[in-house]
């Protein structure tokens, strides 16, 4: 593994870099509803002064990102819904919403086979922009329906961007999903996906292409299996200290744990 001092020298000599930061387990303790720490907010602010850019890169749809988190630091943009939706300074630069045809096909499959799927939407509501057909399991803060017609009505105009299955789908269901979705499996708990061609890794390439950022100047920080594609695509990949060992083994660097402000310490060191 390359030393952080070596990487820091490279970052400081190459000019503007784009940081892509996961949310849960990276910037905040998983599923916390608070904003980032003051130390991380300051690290981002200091990074801006040196010309760097900072993006949230999350599996959450935009409607399920706590507003307090987005307000707690000066993020340049947000990659949400597993790369299906990208904004830069408040402007949408990429979107890949689920079509009505896709929503209907999924609902019909779930109703017929007794499966479940959560539609995560870009529009925020009191339920976190989430609508489920079937049982949403341990996931909370959304509406569960048994009939597809109820889902069609609830999801109308909410711009669904990704799906989550609240368990690891059986082989037949997984094969059905993979016809349209780039799936990530967070075993043994759940699976999630956006349309094929959209994931947390492809979002880095799309953002760089649109904004003219060299790929070699990208840094990704994450902690779980749904970050694998993001970490694989970044020039510099960083696993949190609380990440599983197999994730740490694939990254350029490992930083401190989320509860110890690992992301803030990392940024401070890299930008100098």
């Amino acid at each position: 593994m390359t030393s952080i001092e070596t990487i820091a020298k490279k970052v400081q000599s190459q000019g503007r870099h784009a940081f892509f930061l996961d949310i849960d387990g990276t910037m905040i303790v998983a599923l916390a509803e608070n904003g980032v720490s003051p130390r991380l907010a300051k690290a981002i602010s200091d990074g801006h002064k040196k010309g760097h850019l900072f993006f949230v890169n999350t599996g959450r749809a935009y409607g399920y990102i706590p507003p307090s988190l987005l307000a707690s630091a000066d993020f340049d943009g947000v990659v949400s819904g597993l790369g299906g939706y990208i904004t830069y300074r408040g402007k949408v630069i990429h979107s890949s919403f689920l079509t009505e045809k896709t929503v209907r096909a999924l609902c019909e499959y779930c109703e017929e086979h007794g499966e479940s799927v959560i539609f995560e939407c870009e529009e925020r509501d009191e339920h976190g922009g989430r609508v489920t057909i079937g049982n949403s399991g341990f996931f909370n803060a959304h509406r569960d329906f048994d009939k597809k017609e109820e889902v069609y009505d609830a999801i109308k105009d909410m711009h669904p961007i990704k799906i989550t299955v609240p368990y690891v789908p059986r082989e037949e269901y997984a094969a059905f999903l993979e016809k349209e979705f780039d799936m990530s499996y967070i075993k043994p708990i759940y699976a999630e996906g956006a349309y094929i061609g959209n994931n947390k890794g492809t979002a880095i390439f799309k953002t760089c292409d649109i904004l003219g950022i060299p790929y070699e100047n990208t840094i990704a920080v994450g902690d779980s299996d749904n970050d694998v594609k993001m970490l694989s695509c970044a020039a510099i990949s960083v696993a949190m200290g609380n990440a599983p060992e197999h994730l740490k083994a694939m990254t350029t660097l490992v930083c401190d744990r989320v509860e110890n402000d690992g992301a803030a310490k990392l940024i401070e060191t890299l930008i100098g």
Side-chain angles (χ1 to χ4, degrees):
M1 183 175 295
T2 309
S3 73
I4 191 167
E5 292 79 14
T6 300
I7 297 297
K9 288 179 181 178
K10 185 180 294 186
V11 170
Q12 293 164 30
S13 66
Q14 289 180 338
R16 182 176 71 165
H17 280 66
F19 289 75
F20 293 85
L21 304 164
D22 173 53
I23 293 180
D24 298 295
T26 299
M27 290 194 287
I28 60 173
V29 175
L31 301 181
E33 292 298 317
N34 55 297
V36 306
S37 71
R39 183 172 181 175
L40 179 53
K42 183 178 186 303
I44 290 172
S45 177
D46 291 344
H48 280 144
K49 294 172 185 175
K50 298 188 178 183
H52 303 297
L53 302 176
F54 294 87
F55 293 86
V56 174
N57 193 346
T58 179
R60 293 182 183 225
Y62 192 86
Y64 197 53
I65 301 174
S68 57
L69 183 137
L70 296 178
S72 64
D74 185 18
F75 296 107
D76 294 280
V78 178
V79 176
S80 58
L82 293 172
Y85 192 75
I86 306 173
T87 66
Y88 175 68
R89 287 297 172 190
K91 179 181 178 182
V92 179
I93 60 175
H94 170 74
S95 62
S96 184
F97 299 120
L98 306 190
T99 66
E100 181 181 348
K101 179 181 178 181
T102 294
V103 172
R104 288 183 177 275
L106 263 169
C107 287
E108 288 168 4
Y109 185 96
C110 288
E111 194 174 77
E112 180 179 352
H113 297 277
E115 301 286 5
S116 298
V117 68
I118 301 166
F119 295 98
E120 298 194 31
C121 306
E122 292 308 302
E123 300 299 324
R124 193 185 309 280
D125 66 4
E126 67 271 25
H127 303 282
R130 293 175 151 199
V131 176
T132 305
I133 184 164
N135 186 350
S136 58
F138 72 93
F139 290 91
N140 55 19
H142 37 62
R143 293 168 287 175
D144 295 354
F145 297 107
D146 294 321
K147 300 296 182 182
K148 56 182 182 289
E149 289 81 7
E150 296 173 317
V151 175
Y152 303 154
D153 183 61
I155 211 170
K156 183 174 58 178
D157 301 324
M158 288 186 67
H159 298 111
I161 199 75
K162 63 166 282 198
I163 60 168
T164 296
V165 179
Y167 45 83
V168 176
R170 60 190 176 86
E171 185 176 345
E172 294 86 351
Y173 189 21
F176 175 80
L177 295 172
E178 288 171 1
K179 292 177 182 177
E180 280 198 271
F181 294 95
D182 185 337
M183 298 297 297
S184 293
Y185 297 93
I186 298 81
K187 298 179 180 180
I189 308 172
Y190 69 100
E192 59 183 0
Y195 273 144
I196 290 172
N198 296 277
N199 60 56
K200 294 177 76 169
T202 59
I204 291 178
F205 294 133
K206 288 172 183 173
T207 302
C208 287
D209 284 342
I210 293 169
L211 300 182
I213 301 166
Y215 298 141
E216 59 267 26
N217 285 15
T218 57
I219 301 168
V221 191
D223 74 296
S224 71
D225 285 337
N226 76 345
D227 295 317
V228 167
K229 293 167 185 174
M230 174 180 76
L231 295 170
S232 298
C233 290
I236 300 169
S237 56
V238 186
M240 298 296 295
N242 46 282
E245 292 304 314
H246 66 269
L247 204 70
K248 294 177 184 177
M250 65 167 284
T251 56
T252 314
L253 299 170
V254 176
C255 68
D256 205 346
R257 299 177 62 86
V258 60
E259 58 266 31
N260 297 332
D261 247 336
K265 294 176 183 177
L266 171 80
I267 294 168
E268 289 167 356
T269 300
L270 293 183
I271 68 174

